[in-house]
RNA sequence: GGCCCAUUCGUCUAGUGGUUAGGACACCGCCCUCUCAAGGCGGGAACAGGAGUUCAAGUCUCCUAUGGGUCACCA
């Protein structure tokens, strides 16, 4: 049974790095018909916010990463953690430390001055006399002395460190009695029967600490996968300053969730030359053991390319739903398929898509000056007037092909080149010389509307 | 600074001792064309450096350099 989890601390929105590890965890659990759990790491009562948790769930919903069971809050499990703290105290695997913050600061300062690694010196490790007055103690765990700790990371391979280099007797309970991160993570992962912990690279150096906790409590150690960071385009760690971090920001940009997920899975993972992965393919092919070892840079261009790919291939109904987010509802438009097909190849985002739909279905309120200057010259008025007249006498016309045929006849009879008709027509229809095929646009807005827009242009220009 | 991790085109990557080092994004050129796109075809572009091991090294070993992570009563 594979069980994975996503365990964010609720300090802000869900960012794309988090979404990627969540995706990996989700895929690995689903692929193996296991469980994917969501746990909120809110042991620091002062820091967490309810809104952050809501934001994370919202992002999960948008991207379709469904977690199993209820959300688990560590802040609601303090009694449980206390029990284990007491157990370690009773077994002499942990102890009270009465060192004041000032004393600790001084210790660190001298160590730093001597160019030593800052670490707790173990002053109270074997203390059995009367503790100093007026200090509420913290609880520290007894770390092994001069022992090599080895574990196999599913991505990085075997990693071993000497306890003296990286560990000290770290605090597992603060002086107010609340437990600390590295302690509760190990307990929860064990109690929730986590088989595979897939998390960011930044936790790699926490792993030895957590292993100490697993061992002290006699828990089974899960398999770890530490996935490399996502860098910005300059090769530095992605930060809020780089923007485009909040997952929900992508929705506002008009990025499709499938595109985001596809982009994220390819950042640090691959399957030969394949670039496009449906959710089913992701489930079929993904395996955390072939995640790359090195960090990868965020590449917006590729995301956009993926997004336009999905815009080109998504079913009509899904696109119609996506467009509603941008206040464009074409569900009852009779020409919605033609409208979508004529624009989907040009749109890079849903937002852009919505904008171009509006330029077609709403009559232009102004005309682009440059386009007018270039194309509204010589006998453009005459051509358009004749064309409108010709259409009026051509009976019922509906589909683009029908308009194209009639227009061919018109051009032949009047010896007109298509571009000399099409460009003024575009300006009349959408206000600029850029649009999909004129026949598609004419068909979408209909003959009457076309005539109205042309007449308006002729009177105004 | 200690410890840990990483290093193939600008970017994402393929590559598991013998490859003309492959693909994708981006870029450039050509074609198509009613504009803009899309699409098709083509092009330039990489094994961080140095020592080894080997008949043979992008692939194995070591050193150096560079980048990253981490060293809290944060998570």
């Amino acid at each position: 049974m594979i069980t994975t989890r996503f365990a964010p601390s609720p300090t802000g929105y869900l960012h794309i790095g988090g979404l990627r590890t969540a995706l990996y965890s989700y895929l690995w659990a689903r692929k193996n018909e296991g469980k994917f759990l969501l746990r909120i790491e809110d042991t620091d009562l002062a820091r967490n916010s309810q809104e952050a948790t809501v934001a994370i769930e919202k992002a999960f919903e948008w991207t379709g990463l469904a977690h199993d069971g209820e959300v688990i809050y560590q802040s609601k499990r303090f009694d449980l953690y206390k029990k284990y703290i007491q157990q370690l105290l009773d077994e002499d695997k942990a102890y009270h430390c009465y060192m004041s913050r000032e004393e600790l600061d001084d210790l660190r300062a001298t160590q730093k001055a001597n160019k030593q690694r800052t670490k707790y010196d173990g002053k109270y490790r074997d203390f059995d006399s009367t503790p100093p007055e007026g200090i509420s103690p913290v609880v520290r765990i007894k770390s092994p002395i001069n022992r090599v700790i080895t574990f196999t990371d599913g991505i990085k391979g075997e990693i071993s460190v000497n306890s003296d280099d990286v560990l000290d007797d770290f605090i597992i309970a603060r002086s107010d009695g609340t437990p600390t991160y590295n302690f509760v993570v190990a307990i929860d992962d064990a109690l929730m029967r986590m088989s595979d912990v897939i998390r960011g690279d930044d936790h790699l150096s926490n792993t030895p600490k957590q292993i100490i906790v697993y061992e002290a409590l006699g828990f089974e150690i899960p398999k770890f996968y530490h996935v490399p960071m996502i860098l910005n385009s300059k090769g530095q760690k992605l930060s809020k300053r780089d923007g485009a971090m909040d997952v929900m920001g992508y929705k506002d940009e008009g990025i499709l969730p499938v595109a985001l997920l596809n982009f994220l899975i390819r950042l640090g993972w691959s399957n030969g030359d394949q670039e496009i992965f449906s959710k089913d393919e992701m489930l079929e092919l993904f395996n955390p053991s072939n995640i790359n070892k090195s960090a990868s840079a965020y590449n917006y261009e590729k995301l956009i390319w993926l997004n336009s790919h999905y815009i080109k291939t998504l079913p009509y109904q899904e696109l119609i739903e996506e467009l509603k987010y941008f206040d464009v509802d074409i569900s009852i438009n009779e020409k919605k398929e033609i409208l979508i097909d004529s624009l989907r190849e040009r749109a890079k985002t849903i937002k852009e898509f919505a904008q171009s739909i509006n330029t077609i279905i709403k009559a232009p309120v102004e005309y682009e000056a440059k386009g007018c200057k270039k194309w509204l010259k010589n006998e453009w008025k005459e051509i358009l007037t004749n064309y409108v007249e010709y259409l009026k006498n051509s009976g019922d016309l509906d589909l683009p092909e029908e308009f194209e045929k009639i227009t061919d006849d018109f051009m032949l009879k009047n010896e007109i080149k298509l571009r000399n008709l099409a460009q003024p027509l575009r300006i009349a229809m959408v206000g600029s010389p850029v649009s999909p095929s004129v026949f598609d646009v004419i068909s979408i807005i209909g003959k009457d509307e076309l005539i109205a827009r042309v007449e308006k242009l002729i009177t105004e220009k």
Side-chain angles (χ1 to χ4, degrees):
Chain A
M1 170 82 162
I2 297 286
T3 306
T4 63
R5 48 49 160 203
F6 181 58
S9 61
T11 47
Y13 50 74
L14 177 63
H15 59 83
I16 55 170
L19 180 61
R20 185 174 60 148
T21 52
L23 172 66
Y24 289 163
S25 299
Y26 168 88
L27 290 173
W28 189 230
R30 290 282 170 274
K31 178 194 173 87
N32 293 288
E33 289 165 2
K35 282 198 161 40
F36 171 59
L37 308 176
L38 177 59
R39 185 177 72 222
I40 305 294
E41 314 252 301
D42 54 355
T43 50
D44 188 352
L45 270 12
R47 288 198 181 200
N48 51 38
S49 79
Q50 191 59 41
E51 299 83 69
T53 307
V54 172
I56 289 163
E57 292 213 75
K58 214 169 151 188
F60 263 39
E61 193 189 333
W62 178 59
T63 50
L65 301 189
H67 61 268
D68 293 299
E70 296 291 307
V71 182
I72 294 148
Y73 294 89
Q74 291 185 322
S75 57
K76 294 180 183 161
R77 292 159 68 85
F78 279 8
D79 288 345
L80 182 74
Y81 305 136
K82 273 189 183 132
K83 208 186 83 190
Y84 286 106
I85 290 167
Q86 193 54 52
Q87 182 187 324
L88 291 183
L89 249 15
D90 293 344
E91 292 174 355
D92 199 30
K93 289 175 178 167
Y95 59 93
H96 290 289
C97 167
Y98 296 88
M99 189 177 277
S100 68
R101 287 174 203 253
E102 294 71 31
E103 202 181 339
L104 235 188
D105 288 345
D106 289 347
L107 176 65
R108 291 210 180 99
T110 34
Q111 286 170 334
K112 225 167 192 164
N114 296 333
K115 294 195 170 170
Q116 289 171 316
R117 179 171 85 90
T118 54
K119 65 188 274 192
Y120 174 66
D121 63 0
K123 181 176 178 187
Y124 290 93
R125 184 171 168 123
D126 298 306
F127 185 76
D128 55 3
S129 25
T130 323
E133 300 256 335
I135 289 179
S136 6
V138 298
V139 179
R140 290 182 180 272
I141 192 167
K142 286 189 176 174
S143 284
I145 290 164
N146 192 22
R147 200 193 100 197
V148 174
I149 296 167
T150 302
F151 63 97
T152 303
D153 185 273
I155 295 169
K156 313 261 186 193
E158 190 179 291
I159 290 172
S160 53
V161 291
N162 190 293
S163 59
D164 289 2
D165 289 334
V166 295
L167 296 176
D168 60 5
D169 289 350
F170 60 92
I171 293 172
I172 59 174
R174 303 181 180 94
S175 47
D176 64 1
T178 57
T180 59
Y181 173 76
N182 282 115
F183 183 62
V184 298
V185 165
I187 292 179
D188 281 339
D189 283 340
L191 261 32
M192 291 159 75
R193 304 200 164 280
M194 219 51 70
S195 63
D196 298 73
V197 170
I198 302 172
R199 65 194 353 177
D201 217 349
D202 46 343
H203 288 291
L204 192 63
S205 49
N206 283 327
T207 309
K209 288 186 182 179
Q210 291 164 210
I211 287 175
I212 297 308
V213 178
Y214 283 107
E215 287 178 349
L217 261 12
F219 289 143
E220 200 180 322
I221 298 172
K223 176 124 194 159
F224 293 106
Y225 296 89
H226 287 98
V227 339
M229 306 273 93
I230 299 178
L231 276 22
N232 66 19
S233 45
K234 292 184 195 123
Q236 303 156 324
K237 189 183 180 184
L238 204 56
S239 75
K240 287 186 186 178
R241 212 165 326 155
D242 297 305
M245 282 285 284
D246 182 1
V247 167
M248 293 311 281
Y250 289 89
K251 184 177 189 184
D252 296 335
E253 288 282 304
I255 303 292
L256 263 2
V258 275
L260 221 210
L261 258 25
N262 196 148
F263 171 71
L264 254 16
I265 197 176
R266 275 289 286 107
L267 216 53
W269 178 87
S270 60
N271 178 60
D273 284 344
Q274 190 170 352
E275 296 290 345
I276 305 296
F277 294 88
S278 68
K279 196 127 180 214
D280 285 344
E281 285 172 316
M282 289 184 190
L283 286 168
E284 188 195 326
L285 300 165
F286 181 74
N287 188 317
S289 30
N290 38 22
I291 293 172
N292 272 192
K293 288 169 193 257
S294 54
S296 36
Y298 173 83
N299 182 197
Y300 188 70
E301 305 291 342
K302 193 133 184 183
L303 206 211
I304 290 297
W305 175 74
L306 247 6
N307 201 49
S308 31
H309 167 82
Y310 282 104
I311 289 175
K312 277 176 223 152
T313 50
L314 221 58
Y316 296 119
Q317 203 47 51
E318 285 180 45
L319 280 176
I320 289 169
E321 288 307 314
E322 295 287 346
L323 285 163
K324 286 179 183 168
Y325 186 73
F326 295 94
D327 298 319
V328 168
D329 187 352
I330 54 166
S331 53
I332 54 165
N333 188 306
E334 285 174 20
K335 297 284 172 44
K336 55 179 179 260
E337 281 90 0
I338 296 173
L339 187 53
I340 287 173
D341 287 337
S342 67
L343 288 170
R344 74 194 321 171
E345 308 226 317
R346 289 156 230 265
K348 296 197 183 308
T349 65
I350 298 293
K351 187 180 177 182
E352 212 178 282
F353 201 163
Q355 282 163 358
S356 12
I357 287 178
N358 279 331
T359 64
I360 292 179
I361 59 180
K362 293 179 185 168
V365 288
E366 54 186 4
Y367 303 101
E368 186 205 274
K370 223 174 119 189
C372 293
K373 197 177 167 202
K374 184 167 183 193
W375 295 104
L376 301 187
K377 50 189 185 187
N378 302 327
E379 14 350 288
W380 70 273
K381 279 192 183 180
E382 193 190 333
I383 294 173
L384 286 191
T385 310
N386 290 343
Y387 182 61
V388 162
E389 211 47 43
Y390 195 81
L391 286 184
K392 281 181 182 165
N393 300 322
S394 299
D396 285 341
L397 296 166
D398 184 39
L399 296 176
E401 305 84 76
E402 294 165 9
F403 282 103
E404 185 164 10
K405 189 170 175 305
I406 291 293
T407 307
D408 281 344
D409 295 344
F410 172 79
M411 291 188 300
L412 211 61
K413 278 179 195 153
N414 296 278
E415 293 183 343
I416 292 168
K417 278 186 188 162
L418 180 53
R419 69 163 51 193
N420 293 330
L421 170 64
Q423 293 307 79
L425 221 37
R426 283 196 165 91
I427 292 170
M429 293 192 292
V430 302
S432 85
V434 176
S435 85
S437 157
V438 286
F439 306 115
D440 287 345
V441 182
I442 295 172
S443 171
I444 291 162
I445 65 175
K447 190 161 115 180
D448 293 345
E449 176 67 14
L450 165 69
I451 292 168
R453 290 187 192 184
V454 167
E455 281 169 356
K456 179 165 177 276
L457 179 70
I458 288 174
T459 28
E460 287 183 20
K461 288 284 165 178

